[in-house]
Amino acid sequence: MIKSNKENYDKILQIIDVDEYSDGRNNADFYIKKFNRMRNALYIVLYIGLFYFFLEGRLISENLLVKAVVIIIVGIVAKKYSAQKQAINEEYYGFFHRDCRPDIAISRYLAFVSAMLNKQCQWNIIYYNFGLALYRQGEINKANAFLGLMQDSTETAMGLFRAEHLKQLIAFYYKDYDTVITCSNEAGVTFSKLRQNKRNKKIYDDMLLAGAYAVCCKNNDYQQILSLLQDAKEYSLDEVVRHYYLYLAAKEINDSEKADYYRSFVRNNAGTTWYGNAVEDGFIPEEKPENYPGFCVSSDKLNNPLKIDRSRIKYLLLGTLIVVLLFVISRLL
């Protein structure tokens, strides 16, 4: 087990009680084993393929058919690896986006992380994922503790972008609207440096919407919120969140009919997220932790993030060394 991984995992165990999240971990092991097998297979076929191309024309005669077969095999294994990676993501994201069950997401993700301690781990993303699930679960102080762990481990645009997202969610919970707006603005800086895939785009759109909501709240323009949040969302959790904030806005303008409708929707669909409890009478939100907000970033770091996470550099160097060795060996044969 890599020492730094063990140390970082111990930080997680200081925040999360593993025994509270034991349900479903056996099922997660199935996906983890398949993922590890496909990742190992990908490395093997990639290095064999490279070695073949290095040798071609020397010990091995050039053959277009063999070359095509090698390329096809690498492509098939890469596609299967991508599918298994997606299955792992579904084990985490699917449960709370689709089913509103962050408790199961935490359980599955604990199993995944504990099984990967001998592998490369991007801890700032791992901290974000745990923090996000704990936030949805309603354990806001624990989510803030993970945000604090991201302070020293986050240096890339992706890590900073995710940290700003988690920070904004926590600020939203405490109705710290100035911080919500600041996070939207800072996320715009890092988002421009990211790959514009569906997930990053969704997070950024959600952050912009939260910033616009915060402006409405600061201006006491709750009628505008009803218009701002009128469009239905793709995922079940997003619909619960949307109806929760519509409920709050309807209460502010004393529209009891709409408030009752939104409240009923949240009650019936919130799963194990905190929104279901929040629409009940007598709900008491968690108090701000002493170290709130748990993440601060300098303008220099925000505008000039690292291109590659430091934790990945040694693995990239190792991969490069293997390729160089294969090339040298092919030339010596």
Side-chain angles (χ1 to χ4, degrees):
M1 182 179 297
I2 300 172
K3 183 179 179 181
S4 61
N5 284 351
K6 176 63 168 60
E7 292 172 347
N8 285 312
Y9 186 64
D10 286 342
K11 294 177 183 178
I12 293 173
L13 299 184
Q14 292 173 14
I15 300 172
I16 298 178
D17 183 352
V18 176
D19 293 334
E20 292 182 15
Y21 298 98
S22 58
D23 293 344
R25 295 193 67 187
N26 291 334
N27 191 50
D29 290 341
F30 169 77
Y31 291 97
I32 292 165
K33 289 176 182 177
K34 290 187 68 176
F35 173 77
N36 281 332
R37 284 198 296 268
M38 288 310 306
R39 184 161 73 168
N40 292 337
L42 179 62
Y43 288 149
I44 290 170
V45 297
L46 277 176
Y47 289 133
I48 290 176
L50 282 171
F51 194 54
Y52 166 77
F53 285 113
F54 288 151
L55 286 174
E56 191 179 34
R58 298 175 65 83
L59 295 181
I60 299 176
S61 300
E62 292 188 13
N63 187 308
L64 291 178
L65 179 60
V66 174
K67 184 182 293 185
V69 169
V70 171
I71 293 173
I72 290 171
I73 290 174
V74 171
I76 290 173
V77 175
K79 186 174 181 180
K80 287 183 176 293
Y81 166 76
S82 179
Q84 285 305 127
K85 188 175 182 180
Q86 181 60 38
I88 289 288
N89 286 334
E90 180 65 17
E91 280 292 287
Y92 174 73
Y93 292 110
F95 277 107
F96 65 81
H97 278 306
R98 182 190 64 230
D99 303 325
C100 298
R101 290 296 306 270
D103 54 326
I104 298 179
I106 294 170
S107 173
R108 300 297 173 87
Y109 202 59
L110 277 168
F112 174 71
V113 173
S114 63
M116 298 299 291
L117 295 181
N118 288 324
K119 311 290 184 181
Q120 175 189 353
C121 294
Q122 288 184 260
W123 287 102
N124 59 85
I125 300 300
I126 290 173
Y127 295 150
Y128 164 80
N129 286 335
F130 276 121
L132 182 61
L134 286 163
Y135 172 82
R136 298 301 189 191
Q137 183 73 9
E139 299 192 65
I140 314 301
N141 286 342
K142 290 183 179 180
N144 192 71
F146 275 103
L147 180 61
L149 292 180
M150 296 182 74
Q151 180 70 58
D152 295 326
S153 65
T154 305
E155 299 176 297
T156 63
M158 175 64 78
L160 293 169
F161 180 66
R162 298 292 170 88
E164 292 287 352
H165 180 223
L166 181 56
K167 180 179 178 179
Q168 186 189 58
L169 288 172
I170 295 170
F172 217 159
Y173 181 87
Y174 294 123
K175 298 183 179 180
D176 178 2
Y177 297 128
D178 287 332
T179 299
V180 170
I181 295 168
T182 298
C183 288
S184 289
N185 296 334
E186 292 180 344
V189 178
T190 52
F191 179 70
S192 64
K193 305 176 189 300
L194 299 179
R195 186 161 52 96
Q196 307 296 296
N197 59 26
K198 181 180 178 180
R199 175 152 179 75
N200 290 337
K201 183 70 166 57
K202 178 190 180 304
I203 292 174
Y204 186 52
D205 287 344
D206 288 346
M207 294 186 72
L208 290 179
L209 185 61
Y213 178 99
V215 170
C216 290
C217 289
K218 290 189 69 173
N219 295 331
N220 296 315
D221 191 356
Y222 298 103
Q223 189 67 49
Q224 178 62 26
I225 289 175
L226 298 181
S227 299
L228 188 68
L229 301 179
Q230 65 179 333
D231 293 335
K233 301 295 183 180
E234 178 181 357
Y235 298 107
S236 299
L237 175 61
D238 293 328
E239 275 295 274
V240 169
V241 173
R242 184 173 75 91
H243 280 77
Y244 172 69
Y245 287 107
L246 284 169
Y247 161 73
L248 294 183
K251 280 181 61 180
E252 290 290 341
I253 61 175
N254 297 314
D255 189 334
S256 59
E257 183 177 350
K258 285 185 177 179
D260 288 343
Y261 171 78
Y262 298 140
R263 183 183 192 182
S264 178
F265 183 93
V266 174
R267 277 176 168 171
N268 294 331
N269 296 279
T272 60
T273 66
W274 63 269
Y275 304 99
N277 292 329
V279 297
E280 301 298 340
D281 295 333
F283 172 72
I284 302 175
E286 287 193 12
E287 294 183 359
K288 289 182 184 179
E290 292 182 0
N291 64 332
Y292 173 85
F295 183 89
C296 296
V297 59
S298 66
S299 58
D300 181 63
K301 191 174 185 179
L302 194 67
N303 288 288
N304 300 287
L306 292 182
K307 301 292 185 182
I308 301 174
D309 193 299
R310 293 181 193 274
S311 65
R312 301 184 64 186
I313 292 176
K314 59 184 176 183
Y315 295 98
L316 291 173
L317 290 175
L318 178 61
T320 301
L321 178 61
I322 292 173
V323 172
V324 170
L325 287 175
L326 289 175
F327 177 80
V328 171
I329 292 171
S330 70
R331 288 299 179 266
L332 292 177
L333 291 177

